[in-house]
Amino acid sequence: MSTPNTALSFSIGHPATVTCDALVLASVSVKGQAQLVEGIDLPRGVAASINKTLITVGAQGSADEIIRVADVAKVSAPVVVVVGTGSDSARPGVSVPDGSERLRRAAGAAARTLGGKEKAVFALGGATVEQIAATGEGALLGAYAFATFFGVGKKDSAKAPLAEVVLTGLKPRSKEAKTLVTRLQVTAEAVAYARDLVNTPPNALYPESFATSVARRASKQVSVEVWDTERLKAEGCGGIVGVGQGSAQGPALVTMTYAPRSAKASLAFVGKGITFDSGGLCLKPATGMVTMKCDMGGAAAVAAAIFAIAQLGLPVAVTGYLCLAENMTGAFAQRPGDVVTMRGGKSVEIINTDAEGRLVMADGLALASESRPDAIVDIATLTGACTVALGVRTFGVMGNDEAVISRALAGASAAGESAWPLPLTEELRASMDSSVADIKHTGDRAGGAMIAATFLAEFVGEDADGRQLPWAHLDIAGPAFNDGGPHGHTPKGGTGAGVRTLVEFAAGYTR
């Protein structure tokens, strides 16, 4: 499904002397003028020469700015690519990416421009292992391309991603370098898999084919079980069945299990997998459907993250629940006013069939609760309200446990993904009271992201002592799909939002 993976390696050679197609350097904006960042090891006079060129061409050093300088003396590469990292200073009160994320984004922006090249050396000035890792990861993420569905002519002319990223700063044969290369490649490949799933058109990716993709990718470390429509009915999963009954493509629930010996914790990840969302009988406007192949971004993130966690051999048991359905308008489509019974027996009155994601997630959360894991994290492209609140690059974090919420936010921070907490306040629940069922599945329009999370909380089970299991909800409706131009290491289309956060969340239990 995906394009060839970009290789990652280290070199002990001087960045300027390594034989390659391009040498990538970083610039910073100082009073609106670009200059190379400090700490780049270049031959005497080379930095001064490049800085002079940057002044001549009027480079500003802004984020994602790309300046190409050919035939630089004392540099083996035929071209030097200078990528901007933005300003060192920020306006008071304005959130800016930290140093590592700036490197990650800059490396990604440069890698995006190097399609068709065989090898590039990235020397962006970061000297710590964390900074080196950010540079390598950004380059791998930026090198992504999706050409699966191009026709013959366009496929033949499309440039392959940069074939190899070379870093300096660590000895190639050292244990530290080998460990870092493995971690970065595994994570980048997981993000690429999630992006591929999101980018695949809905006539090719539907519940059954999604489940098949996961089953084929699974190794001995990850076991996969698929419940089809009849099994879902038998198991009382009325939310998934109800959403999927209007489509010719039946719904499914995929359970992925990674259970290493001597696991330090047991986690459950639940992902929303609406492979296409028409809105059901509460039909979306035509323009609102154009990107709705992305409504399974949460399930894609869960699947990809579990594969990465297993490949990395993290000593944490993780079970994933992919709640898959297509929300369509067929003869048996769910109606406003219907009442469905969810996993666990709670009844729900349907109000708006375009609020379908919380229904499939409710079944997943109820099922995940039955094994009483140490923590549950669900991830979903759940509400447009979260995008209104936080924009298209930041996802919301809500839940019932401050420790788990903090772990989720810490995981996002470590991964360089933008996240922000939202509250779940007690008055929200009353607007979902129903006169004919245990609960309505929608409530007040105001605070829509929090209303949706409050509904999900109803289906999080209890531990042996009767306390609700620790749970966090990630609403990735904004960052899961980039409908604009590419930026940093983020491509147009599917972004793989949440994959790295989930991996870091799991890794947090091993420290």
Side-chain angles (χ1 to χ4, degrees):
M1 181 184 293
S2 63
T3 49
N5 296 318
T6 299
L8 179 66
S9 64
F10 280 89
S11 172
I12 57 174
H14 192 286
T17 63
V18 178
T19 301
C20 60
D21 296 305
L23 171 62
V24 181
L25 307 177
S27 68
V28 64
S29 181
V30 180
K31 296 181 179 181
Q33 170 64 54
Q35 66 179 44
L36 292 180
V37 301
E38 296 181 358
I40 300 176
D41 185 18
L42 293 172
R44 184 182 300 274
V46 171
S49 174
I50 294 174
N51 279 328
K52 183 178 180 179
T53 300
L54 294 177
I55 293 173
T56 300
V57 301
Q60 297 178 335
S62 54
D64 282 17
E65 179 186 68
I66 299 291
I67 303 295
R68 293 173 178 266
V69 186
D71 300 323
V72 177
K74 298 183 181 180
V75 174
S76 296
V79 64
V80 172
V81 176
V82 182
V83 56
T85 63
S87 175
D88 267 340
S89 58
R91 298 191 305 275
V94 176
S95 297
V96 296
D98 63 20
S100 292
E101 178 59 14
R102 288 175 66 180
L103 290 173
R104 192 181 285 113
R105 294 181 185 183
R112 285 193 288 106
T113 71
L114 293 170
K117 303 298 184 184
E118 288 298 316
K119 183 163 71 171
V121 174
F122 284 70
L124 304 190
T128 68
V129 173
E130 181 183 11
Q131 291 170 329
I132 293 170
T135 298
E137 184 172 56
L140 293 177
L141 294 174
Y144 173 84
F146 185 74
T148 303
F149 291 89
F150 285 167
V152 174
K154 193 167 185 179
K155 184 172 291 187
D156 290 343
S157 64
K159 293 181 180 179
L162 173 63
E164 183 179 2
V165 170
V166 181
L167 303 177
T168 60
L170 295 176
K171 294 180 179 179
R173 296 183 181 180
S174 68
K175 181 178 180 181
E176 191 173 35
K178 291 178 180 178
T179 299
L180 185 60
V181 166
T182 297
R183 177 169 69 84
L184 296 182
Q185 288 194 310
V186 166
T187 304
E189 288 172 14
V191 172
Y193 177 57
R195 290 173 174 177
D196 285 349
L197 289 169
V198 172
N199 287 329
T200 300
N203 61 324
L205 189 80
Y206 40 89
E208 183 182 4
S209 62
F210 194 141
T212 299
S213 173
V214 171
R216 286 177 177 171
R217 195 176 182 90
S219 64
K220 293 181 180 179
Q221 297 170 299
V222 179
S223 62
V224 175
E225 182 180 10
V226 181
W227 288 1
D228 62 10
T229 302
E230 295 308 312
R231 180 70 183 273
L232 286 166
K233 289 178 180 178
E235 296 288 349
C237 296
I240 300 176
V241 171
V243 172
Q245 68 190 34
S247 172
Q249 304 287 357
L253 188 143
V254 178
T255 302
M256 304 172 64
T257 305
Y258 167 63
R261 294 180 180 178
S262 303
K264 295 184 178 181
S266 174
L267 307 176
F269 293 162
V270 182
K272 175 185 171 184
I274 303 299
T275 56
F276 184 77
D277 182 18
S278 71
L281 292 181
C282 300
L283 196 67
K284 291 178 183 291
T287 55
M289 289 189 220
V290 174
T291 62
M292 281 301 99
K293 65 180 181 180
C294 81
D295 214 13
M296 35 58 66
V302 168
I306 290 178
F307 286 139
I309 290 165
Q311 283 183 272
L312 294 171
L314 298 185
V316 180
V318 186
T319 303
Y321 301 87
L322 315 182
C323 306
L324 310 179
E326 188 177 57
N327 188 25
M328 298 294 283
T329 60
F332 297 101
Q334 193 164 242
R335 297 151 290 226
D338 283 357
V339 173
V340 297
T341 301
M342 317 296 285
R343 176 80 175 189
K346 187 168 291 188
S347 61
V348 176
E349 181 185 4
I350 305 304
I351 304 299
N352 182 345
T353 63
D354 195 23
E356 81 300 326
R358 65 198 71 182
L359 294 171
V360 302
M361 295 295 281
D363 278 337
L365 286 167
L367 184 62
S369 298
E370 293 172 11
S371 61
R372 291 177 174 169
D374 296 315
I376 301 173
V377 176
D378 80 70
I379 180 168
T381 49
L382 203 63
T383 65
C386 199
T387 302
V388 171
L390 299 178
V392 297
R393 297 191 187 184
T394 300
F395 63 80
V397 181
M398 292 150 269
N400 65 2
D401 185 273
E402 287 301 321
V404 173
I405 291 172
S406 294
R407 284 180 179 272
L409 291 169
S413 178
E417 297 196 88
S418 181
W420 198 256
L422 295 172
L424 298 184
T425 53
E426 62 181 354
E427 76 277 4
L428 297 174
R429 173 61 179 81
S431 68
M432 289 181 279
D433 287 343
S434 170
S435 61
V436 297
D438 295 330
I439 188 173
K440 293 189 298 184
H441 88 299
T442 62
D444 289 340
R445 183 178 182 185
M450 298 177 291
I451 289 283
T454 299
F455 175 82
L456 295 182
E458 293 281 320
F459 300 89
V460 178
E462 298 177 343
D463 63 17
D465 297 322
R467 296 171 297 194
Q468 195 171 41
L469 294 164
W471 157 74
H473 161 62
L474 313 184
D475 191 333
I476 60 169
F481 194 85
N482 176 25
D483 199 29
H487 54 87
H489 51 72
T490 302
K492 183 178 178 64
T495 65
V499 174
R500 290 177 296 133
T501 293
L502 292 178
V503 174
E504 289 288 349
F505 179 86
Y509 283 84
T510 70
R511 302 180 184 118

